[in-house]
C-alpha cells in the first residue's frame, strides 16, 4: 500500500506535528515522510473534506458473538465495522460460545481476525466458562495472545478467588478486569433506581450494587498488589473511590461506556429496550460526575461497550430483554457533543497503553496506525448508518458532531 494522505490536520499530543496541517506519505504500511505538498508518482492521493488524523483508536470492550453467536455478528463483519468507525484495535470480550477460556479458543479468534485492518486482541475469561468457580488457564491464554482476563459483565462473588487471581497474574504481568455488580443487591432491577424508575414502575438498580463490589475489589487490590482494570463504571461514588485508590498508588485503571456519559435515564420514558444496558444509564448527577472524571483524568478509557444482541432478544418486554447496545459506529460522533476533541482522542487511544504498552505516535519511521475523521461535521445517526449485523443501537436518530472516515492500519486503508 503506497498512499499520500493530503492536507491532514494531525491531532496527536505526542507528535511533533500536533495541530499542524501536513501531507503524510505511507509506503508498505510505514510512514516515510511528513511534510507540506508531498508529490509522489504512482501513489494514491487521499483527499477528504476537513481531514484530521490521529493515532489509531482502541476500543477496550467489544462483543460480536463468534464463535457460537454468529447470528448476532461475525468477526469479519464486526472488524469491518470497527475499521469504518475509526478503531484500529479492539479488545474482544470472552462472552462467546464456547467462552474464550483456553489457549485454543484464543488462537481461534486471532486466526479468524488475522487478515483484517483492525487488530483483534482477545480478553481471556478470568474463570472457566465465566462461571466464577475456578480460575481459567490464564498463563496459557496470554502466551496465545490474550491481553487481559475478566468475566464479561460478571462480578466474582468469591472474594478469595479474585484475590488468588490478582496474586497469580503478577507472575506474568497480566491485568485483571473486575466488573463490579452485586447480584443480590441488583436483584431483578433493570434500570437506575431513582425518580424515573418509580415513575415508570420498573425495578431499580441502586448505585450501591456497583459501589459495594468496587470497594471490596479495591481493598483486595491494596492487599495483593497487581494490576486491575474496572470496566464501565457508572456512579459518582465509583469515580471518587477510584480517584482515592489512584492517590494511594494502586495500579488501577477504569473505563466508562459512551452511553453512560452521553445519556441519562430520561431516555427510558418510552420503555425502549435499546436503552437497556448494564450498568444502566443513570441520572444527570451521576452523568456529570462521570464527565468530570473523564476531564480530571480519573477515568482512563472511554469504550463503546459494543454488544450485539439479536432482535429476538431485544424487541420484547423491558424486563425480559437482554442488556446491551452496539456502539462502534456512533461512539465518536456522540462523544464530541459533550467533550473537547483532544480529550475524546486521548480517551479513545488510552487502552493501547494500558493493555498493549503501545506508545506509537505519528512520525517518520513508525508503522501507520491512523484514524481519519472530520471533527466538525454535524449529522444524524440513522438506521442507514448502522453497519453491524445487529441493530440494537441506543443512539438511533441521535444528533452527532464529528464523522469518521476510516483507518489506515496493518498496511490497509479502509474508508467508508
Amino acid at each position: 500500500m503506497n498512499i499520500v494522505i493530503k492536507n491532514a490536520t494531525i491531532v496527536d499530543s505526542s507528535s511533533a506535528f500536533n495541530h499542524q496541517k501536513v501531507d503524510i506519505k505511507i509506503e508498505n504500511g510505514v510512514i516515510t515522510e511528513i511534510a507540506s505538498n508531498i508529490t509522489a508518482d504512482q501513489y494514491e492521493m487521499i483527499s477528504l473534506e476537513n481531514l484530521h488524523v490521529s493515532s489509531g483508536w482502541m476500543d477496550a470492550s467489544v462483543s460480536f458473538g463468534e464463535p457460537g453467536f454468529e447470528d448476532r455478528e461475525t468477526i469479519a463483519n464486526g472488524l469491518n465495522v470497527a475499521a469504518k468507525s475509526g478503531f484500529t484495535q479492539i479488545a474482544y470480550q470472552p462472552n462467546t460460545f464456547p467462552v474464550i477460556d483456553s489457549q485454543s479458543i484464543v488462537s481461534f479468534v486471532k486466526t479468524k481476525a488475522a487478515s483484517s485492518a483492525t487488530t483483534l486482541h482477545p480478553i481471556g475469561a478470568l474463570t472457566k466458562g465465566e462461571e466464577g468457580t475456578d480460575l481459567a488457564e490464564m498463563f496459557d491464554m496470554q502466551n496465545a495472545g490474550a491481553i487481559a482476563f475478566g468475566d464479561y459483565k460478571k462480578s466474582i462473588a468469591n472474594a478469595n478467588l479474585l484475590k488468588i487471581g490478582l496474586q497469580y497474574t503478577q507472575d506474568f504481568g497480566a491485568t485483571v478486569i473486575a466488573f463490579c455488580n452485586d447480584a443480590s443487591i441488583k436483584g431483578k432491577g433493570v434500570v437506575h433506581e431513582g425518580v424515573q424508575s418509580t415513575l415508570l414502575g420498573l425495578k431499580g438498580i441502586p448505585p450501591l450494587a456497583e459501589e459495594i463490589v468496587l470497594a471490596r475489589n479495591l481493598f483486595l487490590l491494596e492487599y495483593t498488589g497487581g494490576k486491575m482494570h474496572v470496566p464501565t463504571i457508572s456512579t459518582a461514588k465509583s469515580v471518587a473511590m477510584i480517584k482515592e485508590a489512584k492517590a494511594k498508588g494502586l495500579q488501577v485503571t477504569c473505563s466508562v461506556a459512551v452511553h453512560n456519559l452521553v445519556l441519562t435515564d430520561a431516555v427510558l420514558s418510552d420503555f425502549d429496550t435499546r436503552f437497556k444496558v448494564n450498568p444502566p444509564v443513570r441520572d444527570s448527577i451521576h452523568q456529570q460526575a462521570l464527565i468530570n472524571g473523564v476531564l480530571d483524568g480519573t477515568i482512563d478509557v472511554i469504550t463503546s461497550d459494543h454488544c450485539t444482541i439479536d432482535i429476538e432478544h431485544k424487541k420484547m418486554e423491558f424486563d425480559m430483554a437482554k442488556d446491551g447496545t452496539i456502539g462502534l459506529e456512533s461512539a465518536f460522533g456522540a462523544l464530541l457533543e459533550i467533550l473537547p476533541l483532544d480529550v475524546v482522542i486521548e480517551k479513545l487511544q488510552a487502552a493501547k497503553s494500558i493493555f498493549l504498552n503501545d506508545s506509537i505516535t505519528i512520525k517518520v519511521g513508525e508503522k501507520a496506525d491512523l484514524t481519519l475523521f472530520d471533527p466538525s461535521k454535524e449529522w444524524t445517526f440513522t438506521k442507514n448508518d448502522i453497519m453491524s449485523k445487529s441493530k440494537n443501537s441506543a443512539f438511533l436518530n441521535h444528533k452527532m458532531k464529528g464523522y469518521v472516515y476510516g483507518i489506515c492500519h496493518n498496511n490497509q486503508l479502509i474508508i467508508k
Side-chain angles (χ1 to χ4, degrees), residues 155-197:
S155 288
I156 304 299
N158 184 334
N160 190 56
L161 189 66
L162 181 59
K163 183 199 77 172
I164 294 170
L166 284 165
Q167 291 171 327
Y168 174 61
T169 51
Q170 291 177 61
D171 290 341
F172 46 97
T175 298
V176 170
I177 299 176
F179 182 71
C180 298
N181 178 53
D182 187 296
S184 63
I185 292 178
K186 177 188 176 184
K188 295 182 179 180
V190 292
V191 298
H192 170 63
E193 181 183 83
V195 173
Q196 190 74 348
S197 65

Side-chain angles (χ1 to χ4, degrees), residues 304-334:
S304 73
D305 201 20
H306 182 92
C307 182
T308 56
I309 304 294
D310 56 90
I311 191 169
E312 288 83 4
H313 289 96
K314 204 62 173 172
K315 284 281 189 180
M316 55 195 313
E317 296 91 341
F318 203 97
D319 287 356
M320 301 297 294
K322 284 187 177 292
D323 299 322
T325 176
I326 59 172
L328 287 168
E329 300 101 310
S330 54
F332 182 65

Side-chain angles (χ1 to χ4, degrees), residues 212-289:
I212 196 168
V213 177
L214 176 59
R216 183 204 71 173
N217 290 353
L218 291 174
F219 275 120
L220 288 171
L221 180 64
E222 187 172 7
Y223 177 81
T224 62
K227 294 185 289 187
M228 178 186 288
H229 179 74
V230 184
T232 59
I233 63 171
S234 68
T235 81
K237 185 167 280 189
S238 291
V239 176
M241 285 193 286
I242 289 173
K243 187 173 186 176
E244 181 181 354
K246 288 184 172 186
K248 288 181 179 179
L250 301 185
Q251 292 189 76
V252 60
T253 56
C254 68
S255 70
V256 64
V258 174
H259 44 268
N260 286 101
L261 276 177
V262 178
L263 305 176
T264 70
D265 59 354
V267 300
L268 299 170
S269 58
D270 292 330
F271 297 90
D272 193 327
T273 58
R274 291 182 298 114
F275 303 115
K276 189 184 181 191
V277 290
N278 182 22
V281 289
R282 300 195 183 271
D283 61 27
S284 59
I285 295 174
H286 292 288
Q287 178 199 33
Q288 189 58 54

